[in-house]
Amino acid sequence: MEKTLNRLALFVGQADEAYQRHFISGFNEKAIAGGFDVCVFSMYRKYQDTPENEMGESNIFSLMNTDRFDGAVILKDSILTESVVSDLEDRLNRNFNKPVVIAEKESGLSKSIYIDSYSAAFEIISHLTDVHGCRDIAFISEKKENRHTKERLRAYYDAMEKAGLAVSAERIIYVDHRLQSGEEYAEQLVSQGETLPDAVVCTDDRMAARLCKALTDRDIRVPEDIAVVGCEYYSDGQADKRMITSVLVPTEDFGGYAFDFLMKRLNGDISEEYAFKPETKLLLGKSCGCCNENIPKKYIANMTWETVEDEESSPVVNTMDAALISQTTLEEYLNSVYSYIYQLGDIEEFHLCLDSRWENMSNNVRVPNEGYNSSMIHVVRYYSNHQNNMTGLENKFFCSGNGVQ
């Protein structure tokens, strides 16, 4: 192994979301123990719905100075705008001669690693057949071509076959969007007068929570009339308040596995198996009828199927949008940003830096959309202890080269 710089790059979309946050934590813990620093390059949102947002958000990835890093990991499934992630992979392939590891999605340019989804899905479906005696089980998923969907569908067929049960093609449903899928399927069952299945397996827990609420709103009881389970529980009660029976996904462990895999690649070892196979841990909540048998009490909030709303519908985000749009000068805009930092919750610090050319925006100066100037301005600095906080255009600094040093 050549001399290392002891610095790794991690590319993600929406780093504060539960899955990404836990992955970063596990990766960072292993990296620190191994003597490495980690630079996380993250878009605020994992999906960009306009070309302008795509250009602006993805520009953060150009900050990586490839000469200053030993390796990189892309949490590819968290960057949902395909052109963004493909451009990132191409750029690293051309300009970075160190190992790059892709997590949770296929790549034609770099090695990919995955969490094994088959075992968990097989066990939770077997729980429905063996413990609850379910015979007619439906399967709902969002991404038909997703690797995890394929593994879970294979587990569904195998678990049903093991139980001596037939699978009907009508019970395999693909939907457009996980947050609307619960309502769509519930409406389909009611409006078309279809016979209820004994149980529904959802590949996403938030989808399962929405389905439970939609069924309850239509006077279909969960789990008395129909059982509902999920396949990937990432965080402490994020998706629902009444616990969904699901499988705990050890995302922090997977982040640690990604670090270990990258280290082996740095040492020229490519013999490691690419699938991370954690021990399966079922979380037996109320949605299958197990009455929260092994759910830690801190996870159990109340007896409703309400879900946590998306960030897009947050009143703070909505009012912040209006406040920012109404500003007419850069200084007013930065002051508005600073005022909303206090509503971000339990954070230790927040920093915002801009290309120094923004200082002259009132003179019709246009700032390029690609790359950054060597001169930057530290325009917002916030610490939770309120010491040395500031906002303004006075604090300039310089980067040697076009990237993080």
Side-chain angles (χ1 to χ4, degrees):
M1 178 178 174
E2 62 182 279
K3 183 179 179 181
T4 64
L5 301 163
N6 297 99
R7 181 180 289 176
L8 304 173
L10 180 55
F11 297 92
V12 302
Q14 201 165 336
D16 61 337
E17 197 172 53
Y19 179 84
Q20 294 89 295
R21 186 174 70 248
H22 293 166
F23 181 94
I24 293 169
S25 176
F27 186 90
N28 199 43
E29 182 177 351
K30 278 288 189 77
I32 291 173
F36 284 85
D37 291 327
V38 179
C39 291
V40 179
F41 300 87
S42 173
M43 300 187 299
Y44 274 115
R45 304 291 299 167
K46 59 186 179 182
Y47 175 75
Q48 311 306 319
D49 54 0
T50 68
E52 292 78 13
N53 286 347
E54 178 181 322
M55 181 178 294
E57 287 280 300
S58 64
N59 199 34
I60 190 70
F61 295 152
S62 70
L63 274 176
M64 178 194 181
N65 185 331
T66 54
D67 295 333
R68 299 284 181 167
F69 289 85
D70 296 310
V73 173
I74 303 176
L75 192 53
K76 190 173 179 179
D77 203 36
S78 72
I79 305 172
L80 300 185
T81 307
E82 187 61 36
S83 59
V84 169
V85 73
S86 61
D87 288 347
L88 173 60
E89 285 189 83
D90 289 341
R91 186 163 63 249
L92 291 178
N93 185 57
R94 293 193 310 269
N95 304 323
F96 190 50
N97 62 351
K98 306 290 182 63
V100 176
V101 174
I102 308 298
E104 293 288 59
K105 211 166 186 180
E106 292 85 355
S107 172
L109 300 175
S110 304
K111 295 295 182 182
S112 298
I113 57 174
Y114 309 88
I115 294 181
D116 169 47
S117 298
Y118 176 90
S119 301
F122 185 90
E123 187 163 335
I124 202 164
I125 296 167
S126 296
H127 175 77
L128 291 173
T129 59
D130 300 347
V131 176
H132 296 287
C134 297
R135 294 294 176 262
D136 182 6
I137 301 176
F139 178 92
I140 304 181
S141 179
E142 177 193 5
K143 303 172 184 176
K144 188 173 184 178
E145 299 304 321
N146 181 278
R147 179 188 180 96
H148 292 299
T149 296
K150 293 178 180 178
E151 286 193 354
R152 289 165 181 153
L153 182 60
R154 181 166 61 88
Y156 168 69
Y157 275 106
D158 290 350
M160 294 291 279
E161 181 181 1
K162 174 178 172 289
L165 302 174
V167 173
S168 170
E170 296 177 353
R171 290 304 196 200
I172 300 175
I173 302 100
Y174 294 103
V175 292
D176 292 332
H177 194 282
R178 67 181 185 180
L179 296 181
Q180 302 302 323
S181 55
E183 288 87 342
E184 291 172 4
Y185 184 56
E187 184 60 32
Q188 177 183 327
L189 288 174
V190 173
S191 64
Q192 297 181 10
E194 295 187 8
T195 302
L196 292 177
D198 298 326
V200 179
V201 177
C202 299
T203 56
D204 177 88
D205 278 22
R206 191 165 294 183
M207 180 194 302
R210 295 254 174 169
L211 175 59
C212 288
K213 184 178 186 302
L215 291 169
T216 302
D217 289 345
R218 292 162 174 79
D219 297 323
I220 299 174
R221 300 172 301 167
V222 179
E224 293 84 357
D225 298 326
I226 183 172
V228 177
V229 300
C231 288
E232 50 179 26
Y233 191 83
Y234 291 129
S235 62
D236 303 353
Q238 176 178 338
D240 58 270
K241 293 188 175 182
R242 185 180 180 184
M243 284 299 302
I244 300 293
T245 291
S246 188
V247 183
L248 185 64
V249 178
T251 322
E252 287 193 22
D253 293 342
F254 184 51
Y257 176 85
F259 172 81
D260 291 339
F261 188 87
L262 181 59
M263 290 299 100
K264 291 183 178 182
R265 294 278 296 148
L266 277 169
N267 284 289
D269 180 359
I270 59 173
S271 61
E272 179 73 14
E273 187 175 358
Y274 301 152
F276 172 57
K277 298 182 178 180
E279 180 181 352
T280 300
K281 181 181 178 181
L282 296 185
L283 294 178
L284 303 177
K286 283 186 172 292
S287 65
C288 71
C290 282
C291 299
N292 294 333
E293 290 182 6
N294 70 338
I295 305 295
K297 289 184 178 179
K298 67 176 181 177
Y299 290 178
I300 304 171
N302 60 32
M303 295 299 294
T304 68
W305 296 116
E306 295 294 334
T307 60
V308 174
E309 297 298 325
D310 287 343
E311 292 182 36
E312 292 90 343
S313 62
S314 165
V316 172
V317 174
N318 290 338
T319 57
M320 183 174 68
D321 284 347
L324 295 178
I325 291 172
S326 67
Q327 306 309 316
T328 58
T329 69
L330 180 57
E331 289 83 356
E332 291 175 352
Y333 188 93
L334 295 175
N335 287 333
S336 184
V337 169
Y338 184 84
S339 70
Y340 277 91
I341 296 174
Y342 292 91
Q343 302 187 53
L344 292 179
D346 186 20
I347 63 169
E348 293 184 1
E349 56 185 276
F350 176 91
H351 301 270
L352 178 62
C353 300
L354 294 178
D355 187 308
S356 63
R357 286 168 288 191
W358 278 94
E359 185 180 18
N360 300 310
M361 63 175 292
S362 60
N363 298 324
N364 296 320
V365 172
R366 295 183 62 85
V367 178
N369 289 317
E370 291 188 16
Y372 293 84
N373 192 16
S374 60
S375 176
M376 304 287 289
I377 311 175
H378 194 171
V379 294
V380 176
R381 180 172 62 231
Y382 169 85
Y383 295 101
S384 59
N385 61 9
H386 306 300
Q387 300 295 314
N388 204 28
N389 290 357
M390 69 86 191
T391 178
L393 301 174
E394 296 78 25
N395 291 277
K396 294 183 179 180
F397 63 97
F398 293 88
C399 301
S400 60
N402 187 20
V404 173
Q405 304 297 316

